[in-house]
Amino acid sequence: MTAPLSIPDGSVVITPNEVYAEVRATREAVGELTRKLDQVPGRVDDHEHRLRALEERRIPHSSVTVITAVVSAGALIAAVWPAFGH
């Protein structure tokens, strides 16, 4: 038989049962929060949609296409210009 452990004064003893109870309580709290978040309508989809709208307002796709075409045409003219002896 082993001798009982000596616990110094002012120490706190946490048993495995207490740890288990706290883990279970934490799991239940996280589950409850998850259920509440799932009830919020469109929280992720709406956020994604708003970001896309802001991006398109700032730089519309058609503007990028026009700028790319103008720069490409300018580069082509600059590359061909010396071939005609100018």
Side-chain angles (χ1 to χ4, degrees), residues 46-59:
D46 183 51
H47 180 68
E48 193 70 27
H49 176 72
R50 290 185 306 169
L51 285 176
R52 297 285 181 233
L54 285 173
E55 289 171 351
E56 288 184 11
R57 234 182 288 152
R58 190 160 185 215
I59 303 175

Side-chain angles (χ1 to χ4, degrees), residues 66-76:
V66 171
I67 292 170
T68 303
V70 170
V71 170
S72 298
L76 179 64

